[in-house]
């Protein structure tokens, strides 16, 4: 199965649904070690994204969907997460170019470009207790899966599982970036909300890919 525009559209809808569903969880995580706005911000952003899916042209490629998500998140999501996720989706859209369907290598390129964009924008490193701690294991696992010969859905499944482990692994960390860094050791025991939302978005990508709704065939 290849991943085309329908997959990108379905992933976007799934992102909106999963963020809405986990809104309170993300608010709570961010309230513990941040300013509590992450769930609200992400929900507002993806709620603004979904109506725009209907405005895509009939010949839209996956990059067009990713770019629309990027520009919408940048203009509607406050705090740090809007620019970070916006940059991620923007870099991802550039990485997949005008390809109508994404093969495993393109999926890896999408994830890597997203992660690199967040690093560039947020200047966080692995172990800083940020969303990078979900993104980088996801990229590494995606590369491994691609090398092992997994298909697109297999690459995304590996990425999602690694992101979930990465998000969980932020719990014992002291934060070195963002508001949580002011808490010092009091941040220990709390999961980073951005890492958690990353895990949710990547799981949504994998679930949609596994469901076979990616290319309308
Ligand atoms: Mg916040």
């Amino acid at each position: 199965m290849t991943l085309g525009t329908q997959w990108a559209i379905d992933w976007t809808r799934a992102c909106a649904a999963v963020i809405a569903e986990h809104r309170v969880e993300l608010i709570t995580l961010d309230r513990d070690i941040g300013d509590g706005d992450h769930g609200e911000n992400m929900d507002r952003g993806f709620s603004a994204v979904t109506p725009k899916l209907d405005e895509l042209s009939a010949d839209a490629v996956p990059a067009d969907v990713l770019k629309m998500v990027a520009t919408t998140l940048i203009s509607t999501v406050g705090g740090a997460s809007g620019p970070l996720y916006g940059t991620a989706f923007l870099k991802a859209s550039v990485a997949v170019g005008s390809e109508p369907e994404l093969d495993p290598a393109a999926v890896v390129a999408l994830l890597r470009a997203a992660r690199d964009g967040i690093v560039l924008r947020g200047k966080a490193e692995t172990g800083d207790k940020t969303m990078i701690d979900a993104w980088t294991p996801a990229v590494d696992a995606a590369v491994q899966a691609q090398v092992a010969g997994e298909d697109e859905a297999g690459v995304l499944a590996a990425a999602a599982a690694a992101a979930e482990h990465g998000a969980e692994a932020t719990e014992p960390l002291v934060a070195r970036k963002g508001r949580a860094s002011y808490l010092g050791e009091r941040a220990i025991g709390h999961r980073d909300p951005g890492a958690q939302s990353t895990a949710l978005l990547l799981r949504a990508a994998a679930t949609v890919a596994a469901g076979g709704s990616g290319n309308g065939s």
Side-chain angles (χ1 to χ4, degrees):
M1 189 189 78
T2 53
L3 304 180
T5 304
Q6 194 58 51
W7 166 78
I9 290 171
D10 292 346
W11 176 29
T12 303
R13 286 196 203 284
C15 287
V18 78
I19 290 296
E21 190 184 328
H22 289 263
R23 182 175 153 274
V24 172
E25 176 196 335
L26 294 174
I27 288 171
T28 304
L29 289 176
D30 197 28
R31 194 174 286 149
D32 288 341
I33 59 169
D35 55 3
D37 64 352
H38 191 57
E40 202 71 57
N41 284 340
M42 292 293 284
D43 190 33
R44 183 184 318 116
F46 276 99
S47 296
V49 163
T50 43
K52 296 190 181 180
L53 291 169
D54 300 327
E55 298 167 18
L56 289 166
S57 69
D59 58 354
V61 291
D64 296 321
V65 180
L66 297 170
K67 192 176 175 193
M68 181 279 285
V69 173
T71 53
T72 307
L73 292 182
I74 288 168
S75 62
T76 57
V77 182
S81 51
L84 291 173
Y85 276 118
T87 301
F89 277 92
L90 196 61
K91 298 288 186 186
S93 80
V94 174
V96 299
S98 57
E99 291 298 323
E101 307 220 308
L102 310 185
D103 62 10
V107 172
V108 169
L110 183 163
L111 295 171
R112 183 184 278 134
R115 188 274 312 270
D116 290 351
I118 295 167
V119 170
L120 201 68
R121 184 97 201 190
K123 308 274 188 286
E125 292 169 20
T126 302
D128 284 351
K129 197 179 179 101
T130 72
M131 60 172 72
I132 290 302
D133 292 321
W135 277 101
T136 290
V139 172
D140 293 346
V143 170
Q144 282 181 21
Q146 187 215 347
V147 169
E150 292 284 346
D151 67 3
E152 301 81 4
V155 170
L156 283 172
E164 287 163 354
H165 283 125
E168 192 181 348
T170 63
E171 290 177 8
L173 298 176
V174 170
R176 293 194 294 246
K177 281 281 170 187
R179 236 173 254 262
S181 65
Y182 308 144
L183 296 177
E185 298 202 340
R186 279 181 291 148
I188 292 174
H190 299 283
R191 185 175 302 204
D192 179 67
Q196 181 65 7
S197 60
T198 295
L200 293 173
L201 299 187
L202 294 185
R203 174 56 66 193
T207 300
V208 171
S213 57
N215 59 1
S217 65

